[in-house]
Amino acid sequence: MSLNCQTLLHNHPQAWQSATIHPFLEQCKLGTILPSQFNTWLVQDYLFVVEFTRMAARLLASAPAQHFDIILAGLAALKDELNWFRAKASERQLNLATPPQPACRQYCQFMEQLSTLPYAVQATAFWSIESAYNQGWRLPGPMPEPYCEFADRWGNSGFTEYVQLLEQQADEALSLAEDRIQEQAETTFLGVAKLEQAFWQMAFTAV
Ligand code: HMH
């Protein structure tokens, strides 16, 4: 078995489309998303990123030293991202001390249990999570105010390059992994796709 990230995308186009193309993003692009929907996403995504940062730290702890540079750069970017989320929430007078909704809680639990799995699986999950946002926010094209800043955060070319580097690291780990572990990586990729779709849906149906 020789699984890599591109094979995963190629084998599961439907799952990946549902993860990255959603009315939430289309309505940001059109400027018709409701503030209540957008604010729900913002607060819940902050809660998500807190747990995603812990996942990045566990990924670092499992990684070979040659992979540290890119993961450490990712952690530094997450430090800025968490502060940026706090600034955006404060501008909008949103309370970040909000309980996670079920879709957010399930995603966070999923990330937590990844630490019991081999590095190749964690690296594949990390790439797929970042890649989902990169594609999701980039595909609709330029967004109007106030959403352009959000689209640019995950859609900009620097972030796109970072996702490519994560893909290389995941591919390297997968190329060294046994078939059974490659299968775990595929299951995990499908798990990410489902949770991404559910996360958009959660924010979209917020009132
Ligand atoms: C739900 N997936 C979700 N939120 C994010 N911020 C990312 C991926 C990218 O970090």
Side-chain angles (χ1 to χ4, degrees):
M1 203 172 160
S2 68
L3 189 78
N4 63 32
C5 294
Q6 287 304 315
T7 318
L8 288 171
L9 296 173
H10 187 260
N11 288 352
H12 304 289
Q14 208 62 58
W16 195 244
Q17 269 208 14
S18 311
T20 54
I21 300 174
H22 192 278
F24 184 95
L25 289 162
E26 283 158 17
Q27 295 201 14
C28 289
K29 162 79 183 169
L30 295 168
T32 55
I33 196 83
L34 299 174
S36 59
Q37 294 172 302
F38 195 77
N39 291 342
T40 297
W41 168 78
L42 184 57
V43 170
Q44 294 294 317
D45 210 51
Y46 169 76
L47 301 176
F48 169 88
V49 174
V50 168
E51 295 310 314
F52 184 63
T53 303
R54 298 191 207 280
M55 176 187 162
R58 292 187 294 262
L59 179 74
L60 180 75
S62 306
Q66 314 88 270
H67 288 194
F68 278 11
D69 258 17
I70 291 160
I71 302 167
L72 284 168
L75 278 161
L78 284 166
K79 165 184 139 70
D80 289 343
E81 188 164 303
L82 286 165
N83 287 322
W84 174 81
F85 266 109
R86 291 178 190 119
K88 295 298 116 189
S90 157
E91 280 170 19
R92 291 168 171 264
Q93 300 182 312
L94 302 174
N95 180 12
L96 292 175
T98 298
Q101 292 205 19
C104 181
R105 210 172 52 234
Q106 279 158 19
Y107 209 156
C108 293
Q109 281 165 359
F110 172 87
M111 292 193 286
E112 208 174 325
Q113 57 83 34
L114 288 175
S115 65
T116 64
L117 300 173
Y119 172 66
V121 180
Q122 293 183 53
T124 304
F126 198 74
W127 158 75
S128 52
I129 292 170
E130 294 289 46
S131 181
Y133 257 40
N134 178 237
Q135 293 197 17
W137 285 102
R138 203 159 46 94
L139 288 176
M143 290 198 186
E145 290 289 352
Y147 307 117
C148 58
E149 177 187 358
F150 293 83
D152 191 53
R153 166 154 292 272
W154 292 282
N156 76 70
S157 56
F159 194 78
T160 306
E161 279 165 35
Y162 167 63
V163 170
Q164 283 162 0
L165 294 171
L166 293 177
E167 177 177 335
Q168 284 173 19
Q169 295 200 158
D171 281 353
E172 190 185 316
L174 285 169
S175 74
L176 303 169
E178 297 166 15
D179 284 4
R180 184 182 56 83
I181 292 165
Q182 295 189 19
E183 281 157 20
Q184 279 182 343
E186 187 151 27
T187 306
T188 300
F189 169 82
L190 288 170
V192 166
K194 243 193 166 56
L195 290 159
E196 284 291 330
Q197 195 276 337
F199 204 92
W200 290 127
Q201 194 58 28
M202 170 265 298
F204 193 68
T205 53
V207 283

